[in-house]
Amino acid sequence: MLHKPVRPVLVVIAHGSRDPRHAATVHALVRRVRSLRPGLRVETGFLDFNIPSVQGVLESLAAEGVRDVVALPLLLTRAFHAKADIPAVLREAPSRLRIRQADVLGPSPLLLSALERRLYEAGLRPADKSSTGVVLASAGSSDPEAIAVIADIAREWWHTGWCAVRPAFASASLPRTEDAVRELRALGCSTVAVAPYVLAPGFLPDRIARGATGADVLADVLGPAPEVARLLLDRYDTARLPLPTAVGA
C-alpha cells in the first residue's frame, strides 16, 4: 500500500516585539493560513521577546519525530534578519530535522494588492487613485539591498495609476514618513495617503503613524490580510519543491 508523503511542517518565524499587538497579529495571520490549507501543520516561533522561540519550536518538532520543516521568515525584505539571524538560528536546530528556508515575502504583487486593500478599507476609493499620492512607509534598514527593493516597489506601484508613490522609512534611512507626506503635498496630489509596508504593530509602525499626521488617510498594517496569507503558502510551496538536479548528476 502506497503511503501519501508527509508534508513538511511550516514554521513561521516572526521577529517578536514587546508590544502585545505584534504577537496577536502574527497569530491572526497564522490562523488565516491554517484556514486556507486545513491539512497543513503551521507553527509559529519568535526570534525575540515572545514565546515560543524558534529554537523551542524546532526542538519540540524534533522530539515528536518530525523530519521535514519549511522555515518561513515573516519578513518583507532580505535584510539582516533574513541574511544572518535566521540562518544562525536554523544552524542550531536539532540535526534530525531537514530544514528548508523559504524566501522572504517581498516583493510580490500580492503585497501590493494587500496594500491597496488596506487603503480602501481606510476610506479611499478606486476612483481616487489617480489624484492620490501614497507614502510607502517601511520600517527601514541599514541594508542597501533592502532599501533599493523598497524604492523599486514604490516605482512599480506608481505605474499602476497613483498620482505618485514615495518610499519612506521609520528608521535607519531617509526620508521619514512626514517628509514624504510634505513632498506629495508639494507635488499637488489632491489626497495624500500613508500605506505602512509592515506586517504587524509595534514601535516602528507607531512612528510611521505619528509621521502620517499630515496625511488624509492612514492605512492599517498588512497583518492577516488574505493576500498575505496566500503569499505565505506560495513561499511554502516553492520551498518544498524538489531541488533541481544538476546536469550530468
Side-chain angles (χ1 to χ4, degrees):
M1 182 172 135
L2 292 174
H3 293 283
K4 189 175 179 180
V6 177
R7 284 188 285 190
V9 174
L10 171 56
V11 176
V12 175
I13 301 178
H15 183 277
S17 171
R18 292 186 179 90
D19 188 324
R21 297 173 299 167
H22 175 91
T25 302
V26 170
H27 290 311
L29 173 58
V30 168
R31 285 195 297 272
R32 175 153 263 168
V33 172
R34 290 186 182 122
S35 73
L36 291 176
R37 195 168 297 181
L40 175 62
R41 181 173 178 182
V42 187
E43 301 291 343
T44 307
F46 295 90
L47 290 172
D48 209 351
F49 301 117
N50 303 105
I51 54 172
S53 67
V54 178
Q55 188 69 21
V57 169
L58 295 175
E59 289 173 356
S60 294
L61 291 173
E64 289 179 32
V66 170
R67 290 297 306 276
D68 292 297
V69 169
V70 169
L72 195 158
L74 200 60
L75 301 168
L76 296 175
T77 59
R78 275 187 49 77
F80 184 79
H81 291 304
K83 293 177 178 179
D85 285 351
I86 291 175
V89 170
L90 297 181
R91 282 194 295 270
E92 297 300 317
S95 58
R96 68 165 284 115
L97 293 177
R98 294 184 296 228
I99 301 176
R100 293 189 184 185
Q101 183 177 333
D103 202 359
V104 297
L105 300 181
S108 167
L110 284 170
L111 290 174
L112 292 182
S113 297
L115 286 165
E116 294 202 3
R117 170 189 292 275
R118 293 300 189 227
L119 285 170
Y120 295 143
E121 289 171 350
L124 282 183
R125 300 167 302 162
D128 300 326
K129 197 167 184 177
S130 62
S131 61
T132 299
V134 181
V135 178
L136 180 68
S138 76
S141 172
S142 58
D143 187 308
E145 178 189 349
I147 297 304
V149 166
I150 299 299
D152 288 343
I153 292 169
R155 281 192 293 270
E156 179 184 347
W157 202 16
W158 169 56
H159 287 303
T160 67
W162 296 101
C163 172
V165 180
R166 293 290 184 271
F169 307 94
S171 69
S173 308
L174 295 173
R176 295 285 182 256
T177 302
E178 52 269 34
D179 301 324
V181 169
R182 284 193 292 268
E183 182 183 350
L184 292 171
R185 291 276 185 222
L187 282 173
C189 299
S190 300
T191 302
V192 175
V194 174
Y197 190 61
V198 292
L199 286 164
F203 176 75
L204 293 179
D206 283 350
R207 181 179 287 177
I208 290 171
R210 290 193 298 272
T213 53
D216 303 297
V217 175
L218 171 62
D220 199 359
V221 298
L222 294 169
E227 295 86 356
V228 179
R230 284 170 49 205
L231 181 55
L232 262 69
L233 290 172
D234 285 352
R235 294 289 186 256
Y236 168 81
D237 290 336
T238 300
R240 66 187 285 254
L241 289 174
L243 295 173
T245 303
V247 176

